[in-house]
Amino acid sequence: MKGSIEFLAAGLLLLSSAEALVNPYGDPLSYGGSPPVLPGPVGTGSGGPRWANAYAQAKTLVAQMTNQEKNNLTYGHTDTSNGCSGVSGGAPRVGFPGLCLADAGNGVRGTDGVNAYAAGLHVGASWNRDLAHRRAVNMGREFKNKGVHACLGPVGGPLGRIALGGRNWEGFSNDPYLAGQLTSQTITGLQQSVIATMKHFVGNEQELYRIPNFVNQSSTSSNIDDKTIHELYMWPFMDAVEAGAMSVMASYNRINGSWVTQNSKVLNGLLKTELGFQGYCTSDWGGQQTGLASALAGLDMAMPSSAGMWDNGTLANAVVNGTLSQARLDDMATRIVAAWYFIGANLPEYPALGSGMPASLLVPHKYTNVKDPASKPNLLAQAEEGHVLVKNINNALPFKNPQLISLFGYDAVIAGTRNPDGMGLGPFALSADSITFVNQTANSWFNAFINGSGILPPAAYNGTIISGGGSGANTPPYISAPYDAFQQEAYTRDFQIFWDFESEAPFVDQASDACVVFINAFSNEGTDRPALEDEFSDNLVNNVADNCNNTIVVLHNAGIRVVDAWIEHPNVTAVVYAHLPGQDSGRALTNLMFGERSFSGRMPYSTAKNASDYGALLHPVGAGPEGSLTYFYPQDNFTEGVYIDYRAFIAHNIQPRFEFGYGLTYSTFCYSGLSTTMHRNNTLTYLPPDSNKASTTAPVQGGLPSLWNNIATVTFSIQNTGSVTAMEVPQLYIGIPNGPAKQLRGFDKINLKANQTQCVTLQLTRRDLSTWSVVDQQWVLQAGTYPIYVGASVLDIRLQGSLTI
């Protein structure tokens, strides 16, 4: 396909046009595919007045430190007095206590007194920028009030290249534009209170071989070409840096042969020079692989420790012997301290480090309640808006005065246990109470989390899920399960419910007005998912549908889940992708199913008819034959280029079951009046007008400022032609010359009353219309015609037009 041809022909490999090309698939496979970028840039605080002030204060404080103290700041230290995920070193002599870093991007994990927010994928399904921002504001306050300085989130990588990827649920979408828009809102919301840590940079698209294992196998090398890494995998990170992210986490994997944590092209070149990142770059936990090399490459902090690499004054000694510059050590310390000043952690009103994070919940401790009642409306709205209605035959939903509803399926109820277990990285801390590993043993939780040795079942049969498992999970104060919510509705609306949450082939009362079947698809950090479906759940749906002519399926899914085993069953009348709603799961669901709100979610990925439709991007890439180089150094060649998800389906003429952007509401909408306008006052030259200045001026956060200029406007009108108030998600796709047929480049979410009409205006930036030129090493605007598609999904196009450059 076209992306593969471009990859092979250009030999891109993150190289500038002046550098010799290197074969990424030749020997040695351990190193050599990524060129050095040395020395790295020194941070300047160029992100605006708040950044400049933080840097000025940081430089003053760092100037008072000895090199040993500066060295101490750069790695994690054991602190048994609190439950922080990691604690950086401090310099108490000059008043710097260090930083408390804590999981994760969906809420504070593994403690008490906090809320469990909807997962990233669920927020992605909401397609709502404002919702994402308010979620982050509330979440950030909870981290701060627990004495945390850095929230280890949000997630931009994995983007979601591999359909079975174990951590896809933590991010917003496998579309870079949608992911980037919600990332930007999350960064600005979190950083009203704490440091946001954008992770995992970059190309960490599978859990298999994510870290070296115990048989001397290295992490997978993600071999990515220059065009693809810019247009796909770096895209949401670019939005994060432009939004002012103060921290970026380097991923476990290798890029083109070299560990990300010591890859100077990735950290010094792409992140700190090209994107102008001013914050500090931390390793993932245990991700540092080398000492001096990683410091030179652009890593600023090693977590959770740096035994034998940066500890014992190694960096201070390196300055003395000349192998590390004084400027580099100062820069590492300054970036870390500047982030501390940025959030006002130096002020007396900021809670003490880890003060609300008990080291163990099983010993006496102060209960620090940081749940703000003001966050409740947003928690419920998150849960509601991430539900996607994908089938609704004969208006099966909303319910209309039912007399008897029968409930089936293991996902309707909560797990029997939700209690601190004293296991460290066990079911409680990882929010995996609802699953049992196929090879469950006393230590399999830890092994599965760390190196993927656990065999994950395809579903969490022990109860409903509100989150995936792992470090990105959260800790709910309660769980409103579907059964709980239906019980309340039965009381309020005076109808009867029957239930069977155990049987695969339950009996069905033939007087049932509706039968609701609850199933799920689970995913956990440390191991990739075994399948996109499971036999027990599919049998359950079919068995109920065979005996109930109004069968509604609710699927809580931590990623893509194919449904063709039963989707066309004539008695399956409605289907809801309920994703991972957080603590208000059941309450949100019944609000939607009983018509208190209209469904408004849209698919943030494409669901295929068959798992095989994902082709080579279904399964993670394994190692080569035992004893071969690729056995010891697993290789994952991203030869598909930018063609993943809907880009690939369109390019290969594959019809999905539910396409990207698809979702139903209780109303209908009419689109009209498309207008496109180019802003002629902008310079529409092939190269950005400020590209020649890049080499002579300090990097600006987010890259060249001109890339963020609005250069075109698209307007149209939408009318609610139905009888109820509902939200519509208009989507703008563009056919950029010499690229995929359609790429998302705009969307909105509007709430319209019946018969109401609203004009929608979407702005397009220079970056939105640009493509990455390997030859010019720059974002460029090509001359030509750019088809414009406006619709309700990537395939449901209502209006068409064009722009000409």
Side-chain angles (χ1 to χ4, degrees):
M1 64 192 289
K2 186 173 183 179
S4 300
I5 294 171
E6 289 177 344
F7 180 97
L8 296 172
L12 308 179
L13 282 178
L14 307 182
L15 302 177
S16 72
S17 57
E19 291 171 321
L21 298 178
V22 179
N23 180 2
Y25 315 128
D27 296 334
L29 295 181
S30 53
Y31 302 100
S34 198
V37 175
L38 298 170
V42 173
T44 61
S46 62
R50 190 176 172 191
W51 269 103
N53 182 59
Y55 254 76
Q57 291 177 286
K59 288 182 177 179
T60 298
L61 190 66
V62 170
Q64 301 172 38
M65 298 181 188
T66 66
N67 279 353
Q68 290 285 348
E69 289 172 320
K70 298 170 190 175
N71 191 160
N72 199 50
L73 269 54
T74 64
Y75 61 95
H77 295 247
T78 300
D79 188 341
T80 59
S81 67
N82 60 63
C84 301
S85 302
V87 177
S88 74
R93 184 183 62 85
V94 296
F96 180 69
L99 302 179
C100 169
L101 294 76
D103 296 327
N106 302 308
V108 187
R109 180 185 64 80
T111 191
D112 49 21
V114 296
N115 285 307
Y117 292 82
L121 187 67
H122 196 89
V123 177
S126 78
W127 289 64
N128 190 328
R129 295 181 181 89
D130 180 64
L131 187 80
H133 181 77
R134 287 184 285 119
R135 167 182 178 263
V137 170
N138 291 330
M139 193 188 306
R141 290 182 185 138
E142 292 188 20
F143 277 97
K144 176 180 177 178
N145 291 331
K146 280 287 189 177
V148 175
H149 300 106
C151 163
L152 297 173
V155 170
L159 184 65
R161 171 182 180 252
I162 301 298
L164 289 168
R167 301 188 75 176
N168 293 349
W169 63 274
E170 294 184 47
F172 299 113
S173 171
N174 58 17
D175 178 83
Y177 182 87
L178 177 57
Q181 292 293 300
L182 299 179
T183 290
S184 178
Q185 294 297 323
T186 300
I187 296 292
T188 57
L190 283 172
Q191 291 193 167
Q192 290 185 19
S193 301
V194 292
I195 298 164
T197 306
M198 183 65 174
K199 63 183 187 182
H200 307 84
F201 192 71
V202 60
N204 190 171
E205 294 296 319
Q206 63 181 55
E207 293 300 276
L208 183 62
Y209 300 120
R210 67 173 185 161
I211 59 175
N213 60 27
F214 304 116
V215 292
N216 296 319
Q217 287 176 297
S218 179
S219 298
T220 296
S221 177
S222 298
N223 300 320
I224 313 176
D225 67 88
D226 195 27
K227 185 177 179 67
T228 297
I229 203 167
H230 280 85
E231 295 187 5
L232 216 58
Y233 300 103
M234 278 177 58
W235 187 284
F237 288 91
M238 191 172 183
D239 284 293
V241 175
E242 195 274 338
M246 286 182 277
S247 178
V248 167
M249 182 185 291
S251 52
Y252 283 126
N253 57 293
R254 295 178 294 137
I255 290 285
N256 296 342
S258 296
W259 304 99
V260 171
T261 52
Q262 66 167 47
N263 192 316
S264 62
K265 175 63 181 180
V266 171
L267 301 185
N268 284 341
L270 299 181
L271 180 62
K272 291 184 175 180
T273 299
E274 188 178 314
L275 299 188
F277 176 60
Q278 299 297 300
Y280 66 87
C281 180
T282 181
S283 72
D284 203 338
W285 266 229
Q288 184 186 27
Q289 302 295 332
T290 58
L292 184 61
S294 56
L296 293 170
L299 190 69
D300 302 300
M301 181 186 291
M303 278 289 157
S305 62
S306 188
M309 289 179 277
W310 288 356
D311 62 352
N312 297 321
T314 299
L315 298 181
N317 292 334
V319 172
V320 172
N321 66 33
T323 53
L324 182 72
S325 70
Q326 183 69 57
R328 176 65 190 123
L329 181 58
D330 289 349
D331 183 53
M332 296 168 75
T334 300
R335 288 173 180 269
I336 294 167
V337 176
W340 182 71
Y341 277 115
F342 188 97
I343 61 171
N346 59 305
L347 302 176
E349 58 265 29
Y350 203 100
L353 186 152
S355 55
M357 299 287 288
S360 172
L361 300 183
L362 301 182
V363 299
H365 64 278
K366 178 184 177 182
Y367 179 81
T368 304
N369 181 19
V370 297
K371 303 188 307 297
D372 186 348
S375 66
K376 288 185 176 182
N378 179 247
L379 282 158
L380 181 59
Q382 293 166 38
E384 290 173 343
E385 293 194 34
H387 285 76
V388 184
L389 180 66
V390 296
K391 184 178 183 180
N392 194 23
I393 302 300
N394 298 323
N395 296 317
L397 292 175
F399 291 126
K400 304 167 186 69
N401 300 315
Q403 299 301 302
L404 170 62
I405 297 178
S406 294
L407 308 177
F408 304 102
Y410 54 88
D411 186 69
V413 293
I414 59 174
T417 300
R418 183 64 184 165
N419 198 44
D421 49 32
M423 292 177 63
L425 294 176
F428 173 78
L430 302 181
S431 294
D433 313 76
S434 295
I435 70 164
T436 301
F437 280 97
V438 176
N439 61 334
Q440 185 86 35
T441 62
N443 67 351
S444 67
W445 282 103
F446 180 80
N447 288 336
F449 178 61
I450 296 299
N451 60 28
S453 65
I455 302 174
L456 189 74
Y461 301 115
N462 298 346
T464 194
I465 59 173
I466 65 166
S467 166
S471 63
N474 46 30
T475 310
Y478 61 83
I479 293 177
S480 171
Y483 174 58
D484 302 327
F486 268 89
Q487 289 271 41
Q488 183 61 45
E489 293 293 339
Y491 173 81
T492 302
R493 300 174 186 271
D494 196 25
F495 63 87
Q496 182 171 1
I497 56 175
F498 285 147
W499 63 89
D500 181 346
F501 303 138
E502 298 178 355
S503 302
E504 185 177 0
F507 295 104
V508 178
D509 187 313
Q510 293 302 298
S512 300
D513 293 297
C515 302
V516 186
V517 184
F518 297 94
I519 60 176
N520 67 48
F522 188 70
S523 191
N524 193 81
E525 179 182 357
T527 185
D528 297 299
R529 296 167 60 198
L532 297 183
E533 67 283 314
D534 76 280
E535 184 177 6
F536 179 90
S537 299
D538 289 344
N539 288 344
L540 171 62
V541 173
N542 280 316
N543 289 336
V544 172
D546 286 344
N547 294 282
C548 182
N549 63 8
N550 186 23
T551 298
I552 298 167
V553 182
V554 176
L555 167 64
H556 286 110
N557 55 309
I560 295 168
R561 212 291 192 175
V562 297
V563 295
D564 267 57
W566 43 261
I567 190 66
E568 293 186 346
H569 194 296
N571 289 341
V572 173
T573 56
V575 177
V576 178
Y577 276 76
H579 293 110
L580 303 168
Q583 64 198 40
D584 286 329
S585 174
R587 184 176 296 109
L589 179 66
T590 53
N591 281 352
L592 296 165
M593 296 183 79
F594 285 89
E596 296 298 321
R597 305 279 190 277
S598 177
F599 285 90
S600 66
R602 300 294 185 271
M603 299 297 273
Y605 50 81
S606 299
T607 297
K609 293 181 177 179
N610 303 293
S612 60
D613 290 343
Y614 294 100
L617 301 186
L618 172 60
H619 295 283
V621 173
E626 188 169 353
S628 68
L629 275 173
T630 54
Y631 174 79
F632 295 108
Y633 302 104
Q635 304 292 306
D636 188 1
N637 302 324
F638 287 44
T639 53
E640 74 283 346
V642 299
Y643 290 86
I644 68 170
D645 199 76
Y646 68 85
R647 294 167 171 80
F649 286 165
I650 292 173
H652 290 292
N653 197 30
I654 297 173
Q655 182 68 32
R657 172 57 62 187
F658 303 117
E659 72 271 18
F660 178 81
Y662 175 77
L664 303 173
T665 74
Y666 292 149
S667 193
T668 56
F669 299 88
C670 177
Y671 290 61
S672 63
L674 177 65
S675 174
T676 60
T677 305
M678 295 297 300
H679 300 175
R680 297 300 173 184
N681 58 322
N682 281 285
T683 303
L684 302 180
T685 52
Y686 174 73
L687 289 171
D690 48 359
S691 59
N692 291 331
K693 302 175 184 177
S695 61
T696 59
T697 58
V700 177
Q701 293 213 95
L704 298 177
S706 67
L707 295 175
W708 302 94
N709 291 341
N710 293 328
I711 65 171
T713 301
V714 177
T715 60
F716 51 92
S717 294
I718 296 181
Q719 182 183 15
N720 182 343
T721 54
S723 58
V724 298
T725 297
M727 287 187 276
E728 177 67 336
V729 182
Q731 301 157 41
L732 169 63
Y733 298 88
I734 298 181
I736 298 174
N738 302 306
K742 295 175 184 174
Q743 297 187 68
L744 181 70
R745 285 297 185 263
F747 67 90
D748 203 352
K749 191 164 193 175
I750 57 175
N751 193 38
L752 296 176
K753 298 178 181 178
N755 296 317
Q756 182 182 359
T757 300
Q758 181 172 324
C759 180
V760 178
T761 299
L762 301 176
Q763 299 289 349
L764 291 167
T765 67
R766 184 182 182 101
R767 181 177 73 136
D768 292 335
L769 295 175
S770 294
T771 189
W772 180 260
S773 169
V774 179
V775 174
D776 296 294
Q777 285 293 287
Q778 191 53 262
W779 292 97
V780 299
L781 275 178
Q782 303 169 86
T785 299
Y786 292 63
I788 299 292
Y789 307 95
V790 173
S793 76
V794 71
L795 298 182
D796 184 7
I797 300 303
R798 310 289 181 87
L799 303 170
Q800 294 189 46
S802 64
L803 289 168
T804 301
I805 294 178

